[in-house]
Amino acid sequence: MTHHSWKWFLAVAFVFNGLMSVSGKVLEEQGLNGYLKIYLISYHAVAMILVALYMVWKKQTSVSNTEWVLGALIGITSFSGLAAMLRALNSIDGIFVFPAVWGGSMILTAVLGTILFKEKMNLKIAGAIILGITGLILLL
Amino acid sequence: MIYLILSTVAFSVSSLFYKMASTRNCRPLGLNFALFASVTAILLVYILATRSPFHSAPVLIGAFGGISVLITSVYFFLAVHHGGKLSVCWTVLSLSFIIPALASILIWNEAFSVKRGIGLFLIALSLLLLGGETE
């Protein structure tokens, strides 16, 4: 794979990240919302097994305490976000839900980064936040 | 709407934990294993305790989602590892919301208008501006 450029790798990541969200939409459109927990455990268990196999292949079989704590915190919050996004798809159009969640969370992260981590808030970031919020209002 | 707000907040908090992990020398494999294993364990206990109904289709759709998220993680890491700037890669990845949004219009015939088109454009522009500022 080393002959590929970073843009090619990023293109693959872009497509599969989009397809991951599409899988949630498929669940909703197929009327399988009642099986959300089954979808979510399958999603996480398959990813866990594949990561475990890759770790064995790479001969990295340990997980540090910090990785366990932060991994669990990331897992619980991102799982909650995914579950809530799929619930939102029950009553709101996907054309609003996906941009609102992915765009909105990046905007909110910028705001929280400024508040919690004292990251700089310049005119460009402020403008981006205003543009994003305006975009979300127009999507409604 | 409450689920939409909860989802946005939860993903934002998750991003902050990611930032925290990146500053504490967490290895991507260890972090991802802990992430998927902890959620799998919690869901397994919950499903067994509540005796949730089973259906094979959500298992297949979920497996596809899990494979997709893992391919995303691996190729994102490779892109950064092969010279991609983290801020650029993260921004491009965020813009992938356009794929499910387009699928909603083209496959599931959701209503599209000029107003919504401008909205999508502004959000994309906002992410591009934010991406240029975050490293």
Side-chain angles (χ1 to χ4, degrees):
Chain A
M1 284 198 288
T2 49
H3 61 282
H4 291 300
S5 76
W6 67 270
K7 289 176 188 170
W8 189 85
F9 291 124
L10 188 58
V12 174
F14 175 88
V15 170
F16 276 92
N17 197 45
L19 289 177
M20 181 269 288
S21 295
V22 171
S23 75
K25 179 73 177 163
V26 169
L27 187 82
E28 192 266 331
E29 288 293 332
Q30 294 297 310
L32 297 166
N33 303 322
Y35 300 98
L36 181 61
K37 291 184 282 291
I38 300 294
Y39 164 85
L40 288 170
I41 196 168
S42 172
Y43 176 109
H44 288 89
V46 165
M48 178 192 72
I49 291 164
L50 292 174
V51 172
L53 290 172
Y54 191 65
M55 284 175 80
V56 171
W57 183 49
K58 285 283 181 185
K59 295 185 172 59
Q60 183 198 319
T61 49
S62 66
V63 178
S64 72
N65 288 340
T66 312
E67 287 163 357
W68 271 118
V69 171
L70 285 173
L73 288 171
I74 294 167
I76 291 164
T77 47
S78 63
F79 147 75
S80 307
L82 186 61
M85 184 178 83
L86 295 175
R87 290 276 184 214
L89 281 170
N90 288 347
S91 53
I92 307 171
D93 280 354
I95 191 174
F96 180 70
V97 169
F98 296 114
V101 169
W102 297 120
S105 62
M106 198 159 170
I107 292 164
L108 191 58
T109 302
V111 174
L112 290 176
T114 306
I115 297 167
L116 300 175
F117 297 105
K118 310 288 178 208
E119 290 174 353
K120 59 176 181 178
M121 166 72 80
N122 57 28
L123 199 62
K124 198 171 163 188
I125 294 178
I129 291 169
I130 292 166
L131 277 178
I133 292 168
T134 310
L136 289 173
I137 292 167
L138 287 173
L139 277 179
L140 276 170
Chain B
M1 191 57 89
I2 187 72
Y3 285 118
L4 194 65
I5 294 165
L6 280 176
S7 177
T8 307
V9 172
F11 279 123
S12 302
V13 175
S14 183
S15 298
L16 293 176
F17 284 132
Y18 258 118
K19 275 189 181 183
M20 209 183 279
S22 69
T23 60
R24 299 198 180 191
N25 295 326
C26 289
R27 296 160 301 173
L29 280 178
L31 193 71
N32 275 302
F33 180 78
L35 186 166
F36 294 124
S38 55
V39 176
T40 302
I42 291 167
L43 278 168
L44 190 62
V45 169
Y46 186 71
I47 286 169
L48 290 174
T50 56
R51 299 180 183 213
S52 301
F54 180 81
H55 194 296
S56 58
V59 173
L60 294 174
I61 301 168
F64 177 77
I67 291 167
S68 297
V69 79
L70 197 66
I71 291 173
T72 302
S73 299
V74 170
Y75 277 80
F76 181 81
F77 174 77
L78 286 171
V80 174
H81 189 68
H82 283 79
K85 208 175 159 190
L86 185 61
S87 58
V88 174
C89 293
W90 194 249
T91 306
V92 171
L93 200 66
S94 304
L95 289 171
S96 68
F97 75 77
I98 207 75
I99 293 177
L102 282 177
S104 299
I105 299 163
L106 300 173
I107 302 172
W108 291 291
N109 300 316
E110 288 185 3
F112 183 74
S113 62
V114 175
K115 194 181 96 173
R116 281 186 156 178
I118 295 169
L120 284 176
F121 174 76
L122 289 182
I123 292 168
L125 190 62
S126 161
L127 294 182
L128 287 170
L129 286 171
L130 281 175
E133 285 296 313
T134 52
E135 192 66 58

